[in-house]
């Protein structure tokens, strides 16, 4: 796949994978990776990875920790509201509120939100 077709693909799935639809158990980075793997290499990630959240929730501790996970997921979603990043052709981050900035600006925003990894912005 070309970079252009991958960028188009990412645009086509942004309604499925964004800050409002993310859920640590039901719609997480593994689901996103699986969807991308299907597009890029026509295969899925191992099923046991996709099944990990269900396995955890079906454990004896699962019913006790689910409310805590739900609460954390809601807190992250609420804290991230208005800070969604959109990738642009100029390799700049654009927050949903229209603020433009560099990758370093995005990194500072991630740090404010308590996210330790540096964002990687893909340009086309």
């Amino acid at each position: 796949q070309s970079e252009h077709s991958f960028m188009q693909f990412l645009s086509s799935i942004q309604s499925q994978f964004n800050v409002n639809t993310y859920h640590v158990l039901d719609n997480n980075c593994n689901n996103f990776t699986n969807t991308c793997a299907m597009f890029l290499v026509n295969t899925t990630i191992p099923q046991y990875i996709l099944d990990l959240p269900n396995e955890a929730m079906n454990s004896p501790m699962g019913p006790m920790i689910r409310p805590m996970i739900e609460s954390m997921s809601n807190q992250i979603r609420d804290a991230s509201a208005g800070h969604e990043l959109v990738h642009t052709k100029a390799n700049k981050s654009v927050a949903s509120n229209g603020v433009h900035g560099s990758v370093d600006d995005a990194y500072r925003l991630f740090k404010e939100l308590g996210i330790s990894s540096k964002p990687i912005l893909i340009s086309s």
Side-chain angles (χ1 to χ4, degrees):
Q1 303 286 349
S2 70
E3 181 181 346
H4 178 72
S5 66
F6 184 59
M7 293 304 293
Q8 287 180 318
F9 169 74
L10 290 176
S11 291
S12 75
I13 64 169
Q14 69 183 1
S15 64
Q16 183 181 353
F17 298 104
N18 61 63
V19 70
N20 295 317
T21 62
Y22 178 84
H23 190 278
V24 71
L25 299 173
D26 303 322
N27 193 38
N28 57 46
C29 57
N30 294 332
N31 302 109
F32 173 77
T33 301
N34 190 56
T35 300
C36 289
M38 281 299 298
F39 176 78
L40 292 169
V41 294
N42 201 33
T43 191
T44 62
I45 65 173
Q47 188 62 43
Y48 75 89
I49 293 173
L50 294 170
D51 291 340
L52 286 173
N54 289 333
E55 188 176 325
M57 291 302 100
N58 289 329
S59 73
M61 296 293 289
M64 290 185 279
I65 62 172
R66 184 160 192 121
M68 180 180 67
I69 291 171
E70 295 289 346
S71 177
M72 288 173 21
S73 189
N74 290 336
Q75 287 175 351
I76 291 168
R77 187 176 303 115
D78 292 346
S80 300
H83 295 287
E84 297 85 358
L85 297 177
V86 177
H87 307 301
T88 68
K89 291 182 179 181
N91 198 24
K92 298 276 187 172
S93 61
V94 181
S96 63
N97 61 8
V99 176
H100 294 260
S102 67
V103 173
D104 289 332
D105 293 332
Y107 180 59
R108 282 190 287 281
L109 175 61
F110 275 36
K111 285 186 78 164
E112 286 175 24
L113 296 173
I115 302 168
S116 61
S117 62
K118 188 167 184 173
I120 298 172
L121 303 182
I122 303 169
S123 65
S124 59

